[in-house]
Amino acid sequence: MRHLLNRVAATLPVMAVVAVLVFLLIHLSPGDPAALIAGDTASADDIARLHAALGLDRPLWSQFLLWAGRLAQGDLGTSIFTHVPVSRLLAQRVEPTLSIALLTMTLAVAASIPLGVLAAHMAGRWVDRLVMLFAVLAFSVPVFLVGYLLIYGFAITLGWLPVQGYVPLSKGVGPWLSHLILPCVNLSLVYTALLTRMTRATVLDVLHEDHIRTARAKGLGVVAVLGHALRCAAIPIVTTIGVGIAFLIGGVVVTETVFAIPGIGRLVIDSVQRHDYPVIQSVLLLSAGLYVLVNLLIDLSYRLFDPRIRA
Amino acid sequence: MTSPAPASAAPAATERHARRSARRRRWMRKHPPLILGAVLLVLVAGLSLAAPWIATHDPQALDPLARLAPPSAAHPFGTDALGRDLFSRVMWGGRASLVVGLTVAVLATSAGVLLGLAAGFVRRADGLVMRLMDGLMAIPDILLAIALMAVTRASLTTVIVAITVPQVPRVVRLVRSLALSLREQQYVEAARALGTRLPVILWRHVLPNMVTPLVVQATFIAATAMLTEALLSFLGVGLPPQIPSWGTMMADGRNFVAVAFHAVLFPGLFLAATVLSVNLVGDGLRDALDPRLSRQL
Amino acid sequence: MIAPTSPQAEPQPNPRRTATPSAPPLLEVSDLTKHFLVGGKAGRGRAGGVKAVDGVSFALDRGETLSLVGESGCGKTTTGKSVLRLIEPTAGSVRLEGEELLGLAPSRMRSHRRDMQIIFQDPYASLNPRLSAAEIVAEPMRNFADPAWRGPGALRDRLAWLFAKVGLRPEAMAKLPGEFSGGQRQRLGIARALALKPKLIVCDEPVSALDVSVQAQVVNLLMDLQAEFGLSYLFVAHDLAVVRHISHRVAVMYLGRIVEIAECERLFTDPQHPYTRMLLSAAPIPAPGARTTRVLPIGDPPSALNPPAGCRFHPRCPMARPICRETAPPLIPHGSATGGAHRVACHLVS
Amino acid sequence: MTVPSPQADQAGRPPLLDIRDLRTHFDTPDGTVRSVDGVSYRLEARETLGIVGESGCGKSVTALSVLRLLPTPPARFAGGEIRFQGTDLLGLSEREMRRIRGNRISMIFQEPMTSLNPVLTVGRQIAEAVTLHQKIGRRQAWQRAVEMLRLVQIADPERRAGEYPHQMSGGMRQRVMIALALACHPDLLIADEPTTALDVTIQAQILELLRDLQAKLGMGIVMITHDLGVVAECCDRVVVMYAGRKVEEASVADLFERPLHPYTRALMASMPSLQGRGGRLAEIPGMVPAPQELGTGCAFAPRCPLATERCRRETPDFTGAATGHGVACFEAAPARHQPVVLHRHAGARP
Amino acid sequence: ADAPPVTLRMVPQADLKILDPMFTTNYVTRNFGYLVYDTLFGQDSHGVAKPQMVERYSRSEDGLTWHFTLRPGLAFHDGSPVRAADCVASLRRWAARDNYGRAMTAAGAEWRVDDAEDGGRNFTLTLKKPFGLVLEALSKVSGMIPVIMPEKLAEQSPSQPVTEVDGSGPYMFKRDEWVPGSKVVFVRNPHYAGRTDDPDFLSGNRTGRIDRIEWIYLPDANSATAALTTGEVDMLELVPPDYIGPLRADGDVRVVEGGAYQANLIVNQLHPPFDNPKIRQAVLHAVNQEAVVAAMGYPPDLRLAHCASFFICGGANDTAAGSEPYRKPDPALAKRLLDEAGYKGEPVVVLLPTDYASLNAAALVAIQTLKSIGMTVTVQSMDWATLVARRAKKDPPASGGWSVYVTQAATFDANSPINNFMLGAACGNGMPGWPCDEALDGLRADWIRAGTPEERRARLDGFQERAYQVVPYVPLGQFSAAFAIRKDVKHADRLWGDVPQLWMLDKAAGAP
Ligand SMILES: Nc1ncnc2c1ncn2[C@@H]1O[C@H](COP(=O)(O)OP(=O)(O)OP(=O)(O)O)[C@@H](O)[C@H]1O
Ligand SMILES: Nc1ncnc2c1ncn2[C@@H]1O[C@H](COP(=O)(O)OP(=O)(O)OP(=O)(O)O)[C@@H](O)[C@H]1O
Ligand SMILES: [Mg+2]
Ligand SMILES: [Mg+2]
């Protein structure tokens, strides 16, 4: 319990740093948010009034305190362009993004761990070479190029899957899934590559450790030995899953654009193009929070995998 | 030293040289990805550098009446939505990718080394630097780059900065962890015992022993940077369109994917080939120089 | 219970001393203590942490070899490095030729480094793999500009001399450490330690990693150098045969404390502390049938994280009495014949 | 050839282990490494055979060859056979081999710290071996694990079985390794430097334990070590290896009394003794050759004071096996008790 | 029974951000306005203003006093009746921002509720000076349209958009289903009181036939087009130009011409070099309209090789007056004019939008044009939102201002001296570019006051002749946009102009 609290407490400074960074990012920018909010026909007076109303004339630190204070109360502000509370905008878009992220992660983990273990077992042979070639290719080809290829092939030419969009889970698992397959396959390629490489490298490392020789000297077969190795390799792999969350969130921006999915990624792109700062800030905070949260969970999960950490 | 020494040293030297080059050849044969990557990279870089002589058209000349033409003899890669010759643009466009890749790798690595060494060797700096890096790491790379682009005007410099900033924490963490382990190395301890000053220790003992992982890391950063540049351009927040780059070309072409796939395909292929070559070089270097790195990088 | 911070008496004048009686010994360590904080981040570790070295005192004369022996983790390395301030001791005093080293400013400390050097156990890890042999040996000389080796010519001569001293051929100068064998690397380490003409060398298990045949070469070299330059060695080792061969005096450590210290000959022929006896009886003798009976300690060594109260050896001591559980025995002189040079920390030895 | 004939012993049973002219080579990018190049030895039940030699001479490779635990490639059996109770192990399929490993032949490794799986309880690791080879349930297997831990003198085995390796000291881990190795009552135990990483007191405990267990369970033991002391204490016969070859084989008493091979003699002379502080140790000049640098001729010739032209040209056969004391040396056989004149190292004048 | 609602899915031309059609000139917001709000008058496909909410109206002899009476039964979405007071408040709000509204205010317009008790159905407009375009103004199709919203909404500050939505239009906005950036949902307004006459453009019976309308914003041209061909959506409001050809070839899809547009080069007339009309003329001479519209991607049949008018060619006000010198692009003449005007290489700062493909293309051609006549061009790329903010700056180009940007205007923002957003701007206006020519202002006022069509025509010609001399902006060419609708949607042939009249469409129940 103490441990848990300690861990949770350790995330606070990270989030505080993120908050400062996010705040500074916008406030050190050259544009004037007030001019943007006021719109294209506003007069200089209008802008000046807005400037004051938004508190933009105050010193930076006081603006930060004001902003952070509201943030602490869960008030993310209001979108400059749609005048809708940012929290509502985000809430509307969480489902598609989470769906993509979770499904992608599931696909990637399910594919990469067997692949990585296989490659490690076959290290140096052609299976390994093939797997590594796939991994390096997936790392090298731009996500969106693959996305368009997938759309072209599976949605337009073959017509098996929808081209774009998102159907909420409440409309049925079938439609939901059919809309997610292409984007998730697209996105999972990179993630799978990352995890496969990591799995291979760690398992390969473990396979060189002394206790694996002990296991083999006991008479264990290949599968059991690989099982042993995978257990020992769990922590780096799980860590990579966590670090990969950042990868994933970044990738979601692209896939959502390519597959026209109304998720948080699309929101952020729209907002960037319109300088809708409250939205950008909130998305940055949200994704950093998600990253920190996932990595906190992963951190806590280490104890499941490695008894040495339980002490 | 008297005269016999050089006389006997000369054959020894040539012999050692011969042995080394033999070893190098063997070593290269053992690492086909490295060779493949290096050859590919040299090829792409060569084409980009030779663009002024290879290009058949002015890469910026518009010809609206001949837009989106499929590949033909006059336009080997076809034309884009404004009738510009894609072949010439692709040849020229490599420069942006290479410049971005190289600059980001150098900048991120240098910044990372400075901060990482500070964190690893100056106890008071450690907390501050690492908290800052944790904060930066928590924001996904691409989002951070996008956000940075949102607050600045698009230009080569801003794109490079926006791509560099998210990469720095990675290097810092690597350098710091290397520094922490090198700090405990006996030869560093020995240097302290010998009265060597900290800056000299860093320069003579710590930095040279970081070079291998850093070079490998830098290649991966270069590859990531090229992809990110294309990605930012694709999302409309990257290089300004007047700079021909594979990324901006694909961004230009993305609206025409279904009617003129070639406008995306050719720059995409070149980008993929370049990134692939850099990744192969990185992987190859890692495996060749220090196989244990594969877990860290 | 109230345990005295140091159960050991102040160092006594050493009868082996060669200088005038009024001059201080070369090295005088008293009450040296080092506690490592454990448990990761500062503050959250267990109070006190690992008591790696807990009140160690001894003196070392010019031209003398004092060995530290004991089981793994008893604090030998920590003691050696603390003397050089490669590890910052928690408390105590280290005096080199009478001058206190602890608390010296880094710049002042640096100038003392010329007099004290260290040779490490691992001949692979202690040489920077990217520097040539000549650069490695020249490093200390570059750090301290001395007229004797200032200027490239003088430096080269000095290097050649050093290489010859440790039995390396001059051609070896250009090679990288990776191109040497273990024994040759250890010679490089010795040459580097020797470069500044130190008075004291801490040898942290310098031969443990070497093969028997090479070990003999290095042991001989160390002894030759001592004879030639009057060096003093603080010799950390666990191979009792080597220790017996090379030392003048031996200190036996157990869990951060010295339990017995004596002239080498005496310690091996007339060990007093039960732990010393066990240590000696445990060493395998390369002669079939030589071993008669063997008394071994009970169980495993306790952890330095929370050492037992009283005599630290009592849980493993077959002769332990109630008092051993309660009071830590002081390190007191044993036998009048030794003039106080043989000291034992045991309630059972009078 | 002087390989002992494959005839059965008096009882008509084949020997427990009979290695004949084993050659294990490694194909590396830098050429073929002949790590084991013609090694033969024989072991009877209840016998302990010591194998000594310096680092890299092929002791471990020989042992791993027996269990076929070397990765192939790069390892390759270039010749010879390994008969275990009459069956040639090199001819078995991987599946058949697996049934032998951990069941009829077990192995203990040098590093107790890393040879156990850090994420599984020790009880489970032992029980796993038991369920693998014997048709018993999980509960019984666990019971067996606890029994084995008790057998190797681990206190409170029920609790310890549920602990992880990191919760144990080095000595305890090595005992767990022994328990694991003996869990299926193997006929042959190969111990590859089982005590090198341990303190002397713990080493003595472990060696005693092994002796005890051998008396109880009656397995044959191959004891690999580089410490002649260990050999003297616990082996019946000894094989001395140098650079991938067997250079001498004798009963322990014979070997220590009248070592025949110059290498064996030099080895013994170079060891400091516990008997007194000595002058200079006898050195063996040079170093152990790297296996890929081996040419023709006796591998020890470059370091050997007795070497002749012939030694450098021809590889000496192993002779005298029938007498129970064999040696591979042209110069050795007649030279009983002849003093060996050893080189003094040129650079190390006193 | 619970038959699933018949749903029409349309890809709008842009994302709906602002919900107040009297606040912004955004076309999406306007289209949104026509769905959820109603107007007093509606234009038919002949450009004639027809009473819409108004049952009857009268005009005094001198044209200075107008009486309006609302149709009975009009109701807002919550069922409450539409009152004269709501109209008056809405019109006042509109007059504060719109060009027409301001012009009317300048003519002394005053709005008044007639029957004081609870707001009634009658209200009055009084003017101090003659204003010939009252009905045109009240039925204006573009820019900020005079919709009628409840009094309490209309009374909010006109410098902030109204964020609530409550209208009396044919459809209701489903705020709970609104996903900004992605989806806007409308359902049929049960309280809508339609007229009895047939629907015609924005007039007549606008009662919706389809139960539910979803606007699904798909910024990616490929996705949008693919979604239409696979039937995931029923309609694209604005077909990406390059996909017009492929969609025409698709048997399930009908491509409908969707109103004329004019591409424009806006020049900043506050600062050199474009404060000099001669330099503006030079640019006008240099422009090759065909290249511009070709670059924008429109197929040949939807673009004009050359439009010799500031107004929409083929529209009500099409006239060639004064355009004679500009019939052919003449770079040589342009260069000469530039020399004569004393152009000395002052830098021309072009704002290049990166996120609108067709504007980007047009701008790039414009840049090439400017360079080709020897102007020093500095390009600054930015997204449209930044550009919109930047263009409001009056600073000199060298210190953060700008010289040139490219935009486009649909028919109703181009086709008259007052509709046309640049020609309609008088001196002292806030329109970026800040055109100011006193003579032109006078001619415009004359045109507004003109009583008869003939008179108006003549004054229009005069106005355009002057415009060709002072060049308030540079027209870059004219093209037609296109809708695309799946063939299972009925009545697509009734669509006209660039406003999607979704209330006219119908779809068989049960169709996907
Ligand atoms: N940096 C450190 N942090 C925490 N504990 C340490 C540290 N260094 C040493 N210790 C602990 O201090 C104790 C003494 O360590 P030291 O290395 O001095 O032992 P040693 O006698 O040299 O052992 P060995 O024979 O194994 O080299 C051990 O318990 C060790 O775990
Ligand atoms: N996988 C391998 N590839 C190449 N060479 C190998 C491999 N394994 C062992 N060798 C070589 O075989 C030789 C014998 O090694 P081995 O491990 O048997 O030595 P050892 O006698 O057990 O030494 P130590 O006392 O250090 O354990 C060494 O020179 C080693 O370099
Ligand atoms: Mg030590
Ligand atoms: Mg070995």
Side-chain angles (χ1 to χ4, degrees), chain A residues 32 35-42 46-47 49-50 81-84 88-89 92-93 148 151 155-156 159 161-165 168 171 179 257-263 266-267 270-276, chain E residues 14-19 23-25 97 102 144 159-161 163 175-183 216-220 222-224 226-227 230 232-233 355-356 383-386 388-389 391-392 430 432:
Chain A
D32 179 3
L36 289 165
I37 298 176
D40 38 349
T41 55
D46 291 343
I47 293 174
R49 239 180 295 119
L50 252 175
F81 268 80
T82 57
H83 303 276
V84 173
R88 233 200 85 194
L89 284 179
Q92 284 173 336
R93 288 163 173 268
Y148 283 130
I151 293 184
I156 296 181
L161 292 163
V163 173
Q164 56 82 33
K171 296 260 170 77
H179 280 82
T257 305
V258 171
F259 291 91
I261 292 171
R266 268 275 304 287
L267 178 67
D270 290 354
S271 307
V272 162
Q273 281 166 351
R274 306 189 153 94
H275 301 265
D276 201 339
Chain E
D15 181 31
L16 179 69
K17 300 273 185 200
I18 296 174
L19 305 180
F23 179 80
T24 175
T25 56
R97 292 183 67 86
R102 285 181 180 155
M144 298 172 224
S159 62
Q160 290 276 305
T163 53
R175 182 178 287 275
D176 54 336
E177 292 189 54
W178 181 33
V179 182
S182 170
K183 193 158 110 179
I216 296 172
Y217 177 51
L218 297 175
D220 185 287
N222 310 287
S223 309
T230 57
E232 286 167 49
V233 298
D355 50 345
Y356 276 95
D383 50 57
W384 186 250
T386 314
V388 164
R391 72 181 181 189

Side-chain angles (χ1 to χ4, degrees), chain A residues 105-179:
Chain A
M105 198 135 106
T106 314
L107 280 177
V109 171
S112 61
I113 290 191
L115 270 182
V117 172
L118 182 73
H121 177 57
M122 298 288 202
R125 284 188 261 152
W126 66 265
V127 177
D128 176 38
R129 295 249 158 97
L130 217 62
V131 172
M132 292 314 281
L133 181 70
F134 152 75
V136 74
L137 268 178
F139 260 153
S140 307
V141 182
V143 178
F144 46 91
L145 196 62
V146 179
Y148 283 130
L149 282 171
L150 288 177
I151 293 184
Y152 206 81
F154 291 96
I156 296 181
T157 312
L158 295 174
W160 292 349
L161 292 163
V163 173
Q164 56 82 33
Y166 174 78
V167 174
L169 192 51
S170 56
K171 296 260 170 77
V173 176
W176 176 75
L177 207 58
S178 71
H179 280 82

Side-chain angles (χ1 to χ4, degrees), chain C residues 71 213 217 220 224 244-245, chain D residues 54 201 274 279-281 284:
Chain C
E71 281 175 297
S213 64
Q217 301 169 1
N220 282 345
D224 293 346
R244 173 145 210 199
H245 190 84
Chain D
E54 289 178 283
T201 54
L274 268 171
R280 298 184 54 77
L281 293 168
I284 307 178

Side-chain angles (χ1 to χ4, degrees), chain D residues 322-344:
Chain D
T323 69
H325 191 158
V327 66
C329 181
F330 297 123
E331 303 293 319
R336 276 192 180 196
H337 296 293
Q338 175 192 321
V340 180
V341 183
L342 293 161
H343 289 294
R344 297 254 144 150

